[in-house]
Structure formats: structure tokens, C-alpha cells
Amino acid sequence: MTKMLEGGKIGARQFGILIVYYTIGTTILIIPSGMAAVSKQDAWIAAFIATGIGLSTVWLYNAVGNLFPRMTLIGMNEQLFGKWLGKTVSLLFVAWSLTAAAQVLYYIGDFMTTHIMPETPIQSLNIMFMIIVVMGVRLGLEPLARTAELFFPWFLLLFIVFILAISPQFKFENIQPLFETGVKPIIRSTLFFLSFTSMTLIVCLMLFPAYVSKPRQARKAFYVGNFVGLLMMFIVIATNILVLGADQTAGTIYPSYQLAKKISLATFIQRVEAIMAFLWFITIYFKITMYFYAAVLGLAQTLKLKDYRALTLPLGMIAVVLSLVVYPNTAYLKKWNMEIWLPDILIVGLLYPLLLLGLGKLRNHGKG
């Protein structure tokens, strides 16, 4: 198996923190709008349901990881599908991960040019952010995990401060009447929520359990990290509905940022939307880095390279170019998220690991 780190592994706690960041990622600013558009004021109910269902996805990934504990997803592909079909599946996964990284990179540039630096070309912002991502991936997983652990207390503190600061503006009439939209929109919103939070965790099989110490604790950290991330997202969605209302939440691409603009404490603490932006930049950095890491490491292992670092710069350049063309405009972005993304992630994040698990069980049964 291709060497990834300089003889080390990350701890279970660090892995759990990475899962929290990854679960939240782009979701913190984007998903409230899509959910409110589908299930209106019942979006918080869908998020509550999804918080429980999401853990079953983690069970699936834990089960797949346990098939071959010393292998990444790339090694499992060749072990279960055979050499050439396995390499083909691995290359498709690499392409999907790289495209997902480019999509996340687009969100960064679009958000910055829309709300913070409107006169700056999106190309410049995407290039600068991607340079930081490439630097992080080249340093390896251990430094990334330590950095995530260092930021986590401040991340939690800012999140709590943000919720407490906006709580005086809660309007509980905004969530009434309950279940007005019916069952189908709530089910659709639940799937939409899971598609951005739990189903994308398939990427984590590129480092779990092969590069996480103490597998039993790591499996528990997988559950805890995902649950904490899902719970925080439930709080964010409920807060958006309670303060902005369903219509305003649905009509804005980044409603959580608009939410932060409403914070005003004692008439002198105002316009603290930088809190939300900072929260987002922390989580989105680790999400895009894990996507990109999976693509780089996956390609290196598929091609049997001795060092994955040689691929970081060329794949980083490709990711920047993809980020500029992946979404032609905002209308296409919304259509993609609502109509195309869900079947895409159902194939990659649900059917694919189910197939791996089924083949693994048959293989083990055949040996028995």
C-alpha cells in the first residue's frame, strides 16, 4: 500500500474532530436555504429526523472499514473487484472527489465575492484558498489533524456565542403550523440534509481505519463526530427558521450569513457576521482538504506511486479550473443541488459502500 504518512497515525479524538468539521463543512451556510425551499417551516423537523438517521450511515462505513482494516478504499476496490475493474472504480472515485473539492472551492469564491470582497476576481480567491489546501495536504494528515484539534475549542466557543447572541430574536410563530407541508417534503428535506452531511463521509474511508490509531475508539469517534456535527446543523437550521422565517431563509443562498447580520447586543455589538464567516472557513477548509486528500492519495495509490505529494500541485491546478466551470451561474447551482446532487451521492455514498460490504461478506463467507 502506498505510504501516506511518515510512519504515524492520527488519534481517535483527532479523527472525531475532523468528522465534526467535515459534517458541517459547506452545510452551515448552504443547506438551510434548500431545506426551507422544500419543507418550509418544517425544515427543522426534517433536520431532527436526519440527525438520528445519519448515524446509520456511519454504521455502514464502519462495517466497510472493518472488512480490511489496513487498507484504504482504493485497496478495498482492487481486493473486491479485481485489479482492472478495481482500478476503474478507484479512478471514478478519484474523479468524483476532485470534482467535489472543486464544487466546495466554488462556494468559497462565490461567497467571498458576493458578501465580503465583491471587487475581487473569483479566480484570485480560488487560487489563494487552493494554495493553502495544497500546502496542508503536502504536510500530511498528522499536521492537519493537530491543527483541527487546536482550532476546535475556539470553534465551539464561537458557535455557542453566535447562537446565544441571536436567541433573543427567536419567533416561535415562524415554525407554526407544524407539518403544514406534509410528509413527502419532509422526507425529501431529510434526504437532502443527509446528502450533504452523512453520505459524503465515504471520503473518510481513505484514512479510516488504516491511518487512525486504536480502531475501537476510532469507530466510536466516527459516531460521536458525526452526531455532534448533525446536532450543530440541526441547531443552525432551526435558528434560521426561528429568526428569518421560512420564506426569507429559502430566498437567500447563504441565509446563515444573513442571520449573523441581525445580531445586535446592547446597541454596540453589531455586524458580527464575521463570526459566521470564521466558523464557515474553518469547517470548509477541512472539508475541501479531505476531499482533495482523498483524490490525491487515491490517484497515487491507484497508479502505485511512491509519494502522493508529486500530484498535489497538478491536481490543485485542475481543481481551480474545475471550480470556475462547475457551476455556470447561481440558477444552475440551485438546480444541481436540488435535482442532481441527491441521486449522485446516493450512488457514491450509499449504493457503492453497500456493494463493497456485500462483496466483502460473500468473500469472507466463501473463505469460511
Side-chain angles (χ1 to χ4, degrees):
M1 182 167 51
T2 304
K3 185 178 179 181
M4 179 176 65
L5 304 174
E6 286 77 20
K9 294 186 176 184
I10 65 173
R13 182 174 182 272
Q14 293 173 330
F15 177 64
I17 290 173
L18 285 174
I19 295 300
V20 174
Y21 288 141
Y22 188 86
T23 300
I24 297 172
T26 51
T27 316
I28 195 169
L29 283 183
I30 296 169
I31 206 170
S33 176
M35 292 185 68
V38 174
S39 54
K40 306 301 180 182
Q41 68 269 22
D42 292 332
W44 71 273
I45 299 175
F48 180 78
I49 296 171
T51 301
I53 297 176
L55 298 181
S56 62
T57 310
V58 177
W59 174 87
L60 174 61
Y61 298 148
N62 266 322
V64 173
N66 290 336
L67 292 173
F68 303 99
R70 295 184 179 181
M71 292 184 181
T72 65
L73 199 56
I74 304 303
M76 295 180 202
N77 286 337
E78 294 193 26
Q79 191 76 23
L80 296 174
F81 293 114
K83 182 178 180 181
W84 295 111
L85 181 57
K87 285 184 180 296
T88 302
V89 173
S90 295
L91 289 175
L92 289 173
F93 177 76
V94 167
W96 179 84
S97 297
L98 187 62
T99 303
Q103 290 171 323
V104 176
L105 189 60
Y106 170 85
Y107 287 128
I108 297 169
D110 183 67
F111 173 76
M112 291 290 291
T113 54
T114 302
H115 294 287
I116 299 178
M117 303 172 69
E119 297 182 2
T120 304
I122 188 173
Q123 297 92 330
S124 302
L125 296 170
N126 288 6
I127 290 171
M128 287 189 292
F129 199 89
M130 198 64 206
I131 288 173
I132 302 173
V133 171
V134 169
M135 290 172 61
V137 172
R138 289 183 66 87
L139 288 172
L141 191 57
E142 284 183 323
L144 280 172
R146 288 195 294 267
T147 304
E149 192 175 21
L150 181 66
F151 274 114
F152 194 63
W154 298 103
F155 171 75
L156 283 181
L157 177 62
L158 284 176
F159 181 82
I160 293 170
V161 169
F162 169 73
I163 297 300
L164 290 178
I166 199 67
S167 60
Q169 300 188 44
F170 285 178
K171 299 176 182 177
F172 289 95
E173 59 269 22
N174 285 342
I175 63 173
Q176 298 172 349
L178 299 178
F179 299 103
E180 183 186 34
T181 57
V183 175
K184 287 186 178 179
I186 292 177
I187 293 175
R188 189 180 173 193
S189 282
T190 300
L191 290 172
F192 186 68
F193 182 89
L194 291 172
S195 71
F196 280 93
T197 52
S198 294
M199 292 184 191
T200 57
L201 290 170
I202 182 71
V203 168
C204 298
L205 290 178
M206 286 302 298
L207 57 97
F208 168 84
Y211 298 109
V212 185
S213 61
K214 300 179 180 179
R216 182 175 297 181
Q217 294 183 14
R219 287 192 290 270
K220 181 180 179 181
F222 208 159
Y223 282 109
V224 173
N226 185 232
F227 177 75
V228 171
L230 290 171
L231 181 61
M232 293 176 75
M233 283 313 309
F234 163 71
I235 294 172
V236 168
I237 291 167
T239 301
N240 271 278
I241 301 298
L242 286 168
V243 176
L244 299 178
D247 292 337
Q248 189 174 347
T249 300
T252 308
I253 299 180
Y254 306 111
S256 296
Y257 187 74
Q258 300 299 325
L259 188 71
K261 288 184 176 182
K262 290 183 169 291
I263 295 177
S264 177
L265 299 175
T267 71
F268 63 89
I269 302 178
Q270 299 180 4
R271 300 301 297 265
V272 291
E273 56 269 21
I275 292 178
M276 177 55 66
F278 183 70
L279 286 173
W280 190 50
F281 286 138
I282 292 176
T283 59
I284 202 171
Y285 173 77
F286 287 103
K287 184 154 191 172
I288 190 175
T289 300
M290 290 177 71
Y291 271 133
F292 187 66
Y293 198 93
V296 171
L297 179 63
L299 184 58
Q301 290 185 341
T302 303
L303 300 178
K304 305 297 182 184
L305 301 182
K306 294 181 179 180
D307 191 349
Y308 71 89
R309 292 174 179 83
L311 297 174
T312 53
L313 185 57
L315 288 185
M317 295 170 65
I318 293 173
V320 170
V321 174
L322 282 175
S323 71
L324 300 176
V325 299
V326 67
Y327 295 126
N329 50 58
T330 303
Y332 184 88
L333 165 64
K334 288 185 176 181
K335 183 176 181 179
W336 173 276
N337 285 342
M338 299 304 298
E339 299 180 12
I340 303 174
W341 170 251
L342 183 57
D344 176 40
I345 194 60
L346 282 173
I347 293 172
V348 178
L350 185 61
L351 296 181
Y352 171 41
L354 282 173
L355 180 59
L356 288 175
L357 183 61
L359 291 174
K361 295 293 186 182
L362 288 174
R363 178 187 177 92
N364 293 335
H365 180 72
K367 286 183 177 180

